[in-house]
């Protein structure tokens, strides 16, 4: 279908076609076609909703009923799901997608994790992850649809990129309300996260798990802090020595949050596991933020003296000073 090739040439060509109401033309083709013609029409529709800058909501909205209908056809569902993943990478458009009622159909494809379903699982997972970057209400709607157990199951998928993206989606839930964080715990997230934080887990997977536990440690209760510490402390040295300075800072924030909330139980774990000596080593780190954060932890929680070169100012540390959030580039995975 020539329109699909033109739409794929870039945003300017795409927007020209949208302005000419090409979605309506494709709708007529979809209604009367099967086989290869239907596949080409679906691919064209996918090209019309992708690219940056993104098309406007008004241009995309007419495509929603078509995409909802195409999800019922296994032969073209993959391209329809990719179209939804492109639409959902903006909160306002993701909300429109939810209002269109297509999310339960997306969830159906998300729940099929066998190797033979990879073509539909990947775009379904991307769509769900994008929706979960929205506000707390959108996140709660996804929780109500049962997304947490499905995502937890995908953390043990044989495909590493699927594991990574499932954890990225979970990190978006863990950045939500206290009740949403508790929903993760109630669904059995701790064993899955402990496994994903293991020393032999690929770094691109384990760091997403670290984001989850760090988000959950913010403003946590003593009980939750101890639970998180028990889950993550045994393997936190990997992150404290990470070549990526940002992940070292995430680990340091996690330590600050759990030590502040967890009291003596967490302090004892740090000493028993050997994390204290790692923090002392980090006072010599070339990254100023890292050695200041390490010195702050030692000074505030272990009565240790910081570096005496004047770099550490000794000001009280407030939870959240590091101001971390899930990596916005984390949804750019190569499958």
């Amino acid at each position: 279908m020539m329109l699909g090739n033109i739409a794929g040439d870039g945003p300017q060509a795409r927007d020209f076609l949208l302005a000419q109401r090409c979605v309506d033309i494709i709708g007529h083709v979809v209604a009367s076609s099967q086989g290869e013609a239907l596949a080409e029409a679906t691919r064209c529709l996918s090209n019309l909703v992708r690219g940056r800058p993104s098309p406007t909501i008004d241009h995309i909205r007419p495509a929603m009923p078509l995409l909802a209908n195409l999800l019922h056809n296994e032969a073209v569902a993959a391209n329809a799901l990719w179209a939804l993943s492109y639409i959902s990478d903006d909160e306002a458009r993701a909300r429109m997608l939810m209002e269109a009622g297509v999310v339960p159909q997306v969830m159906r494809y998300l729940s099929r994790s066998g190797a033979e379903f990879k073509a539909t699982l990947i775009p379904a997972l991307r769509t769900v992850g994008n929706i979960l970057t929205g506000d707390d209400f959108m996140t709660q709607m996804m929780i109500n649809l049962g997304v947490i157990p499905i995502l937890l199951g995908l953390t043990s998928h044989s495909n590493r990129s699927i594991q990574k993206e499932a954890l990225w989606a979970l990190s978006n839930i863990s950045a939500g309300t206290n009740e949403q964080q508790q929903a993760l715990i109630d669904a059995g997230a701790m064993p899955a996260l402990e496994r994903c934080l293991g020393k032999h887990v690929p770094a691109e997977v384990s760091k997403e798990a670290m984001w989850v536990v760090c988000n959950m440690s913010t403003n946590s209760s003593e009980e939750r802090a101890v639970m998180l510490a028990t889950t993550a402390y045994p393997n936190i040295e990997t992150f404290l020595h990470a070549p990526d300075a940002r992940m070292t800072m995430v680990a340091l924030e996690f330590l600050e949050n759990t030590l502040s909330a967890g009291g003596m139980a967490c302090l004892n774990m740090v000493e028993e596991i050997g994390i204290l000596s790692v923090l002392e080593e980090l006072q010599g780190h070339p990254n100023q933020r890292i050695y200041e954060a390490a010195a702050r932890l030692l000074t505030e929680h272990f009565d240790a003296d910081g570096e005496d070169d004047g770099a550490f100012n000794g000001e009280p540390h407030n939870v959240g000073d590091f101001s971390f959030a899930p990596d916005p580039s984390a949804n750019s995975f190569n499958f």
Side-chain angles (χ1 to χ4, degrees):
M1 193 173 188
M2 187 176 296
L3 289 177
N5 294 330
I6 296 173
D9 284 342
Q12 187 172 1
R14 176 206 67 199
D15 290 345
F16 173 78
L17 291 176
L18 287 170
Q20 304 307 310
R21 301 176 66 87
C22 274
V23 172
D24 293 341
I25 297 173
I26 295 172
H28 292 303
V29 175
V30 167
S32 60
S33 300
Q34 296 180 356
E36 186 60 31
L38 181 61
E40 283 297 309
T42 308
R43 185 178 68 85
C44 179
L45 190 59
S46 179
N47 283 340
L48 283 170
V49 299
R50 71 182 299 182
R52 293 193 179 279
S54 302
T56 66
I57 287 181
D58 288 340
H59 278 146
I60 292 175
R61 186 172 282 110
M64 296 308 303
L66 292 177
L67 291 169
N69 183 52
L70 290 168
L71 287 178
H72 293 291
N73 189 323
E74 296 278 345
V76 297
N79 272 332
L81 286 164
W82 276 115
L84 293 175
S85 77
Y86 305 141
I87 292 171
S88 62
D89 69 355
D90 167 86
E91 183 174 331
R93 293 196 302 273
R95 186 179 294 275
M96 177 191 68
L97 187 152
M98 296 186 75
E99 292 170 351
V102 300
V103 175
Q105 294 170 265
V106 175
M107 293 284 290
R108 179 168 63 89
Y109 287 101
L110 186 70
S111 65
R112 303 192 305 180
S113 58
E116 68 274 24
F117 299 117
K118 182 179 176 182
T120 51
L121 173 59
I122 291 172
L125 179 54
R126 179 68 57 85
T127 301
V128 167
N130 286 343
I131 293 171
L132 288 168
T133 64
D135 61 24
D136 292 340
F137 175 79
M138 295 169 68
T139 297
Q140 190 59 49
M141 291 291 290
M142 296 302 294
I143 292 173
N144 293 346
L145 287 171
V147 74
I148 292 178
I150 298 174
L151 291 175
L152 288 174
L154 292 175
T155 64
S156 59
H157 197 277
S158 59
N159 184 290
R160 183 182 302 177
S161 293
I162 289 174
Q163 295 175 30
K164 178 180 177 180
E165 192 142 352
L167 285 161
W168 170 67
L170 289 167
S171 76
N172 293 327
I173 296 174
S174 70
T177 66
N178 181 71
E179 291 76 15
Q180 289 165 354
Q181 294 171 347
Q182 187 61 45
L184 285 171
I185 296 171
D186 293 343
M190 292 300 106
L193 292 171
E194 185 173 13
R195 170 175 45 79
C196 293
L197 289 166
K199 292 181 180 178
H200 301 295
V201 174
E204 65 265 33
V205 174
S206 62
K207 75 175 186 179
E208 297 297 337
M210 191 69 226
W211 279 115
V212 179
V213 295
C214 186
N215 286 340
M216 292 177 69
S217 70
T218 304
N219 299 320
S220 68
S221 64
E222 180 177 353
E223 179 183 7
R224 183 181 296 175
V226 173
M227 181 188 303
L228 291 167
T230 303
T231 298
Y233 278 10
N235 292 305
I236 201 168
E237 183 176 350
T238 302
F239 301 96
L240 293 172
H241 284 147
D244 182 353
R246 182 179 58 174
M247 291 313 301
T248 301
M249 289 297 293
V250 171
L252 289 168
E253 181 177 11
F254 176 73
L255 283 170
E256 169 60 32
N257 291 343
T258 50
L259 286 170
S260 295
M264 286 304 300
C266 289
L267 289 168
N268 290 337
M269 273 190 273
V270 165
E271 295 183 347
E272 291 169 3
I273 294 172
I275 301 172
L276 192 57
S277 61
V278 180
L279 293 176
E280 291 168 348
E281 291 175 19
L282 289 177
Q283 290 183 104
H285 199 282
N287 184 299
Q288 180 176 344
R289 294 184 68 210
I290 289 175
Y291 78 68
E292 287 184 354
R296 178 182 296 142
L297 282 169
L298 289 167
T299 301
E300 293 191 355
H301 298 288
F302 299 97
D303 296 324
D305 292 329
E307 293 285 312
D308 58 5
D309 61 2
F312 175 55
N313 60 20
E315 293 178 356
H317 172 55
N318 296 315
V319 174
D321 279 356
F322 300 138
S323 300
F324 285 102
D327 182 0
S329 67
N331 62 349
S332 300
F333 298 122
N334 296 316
F335 293 100

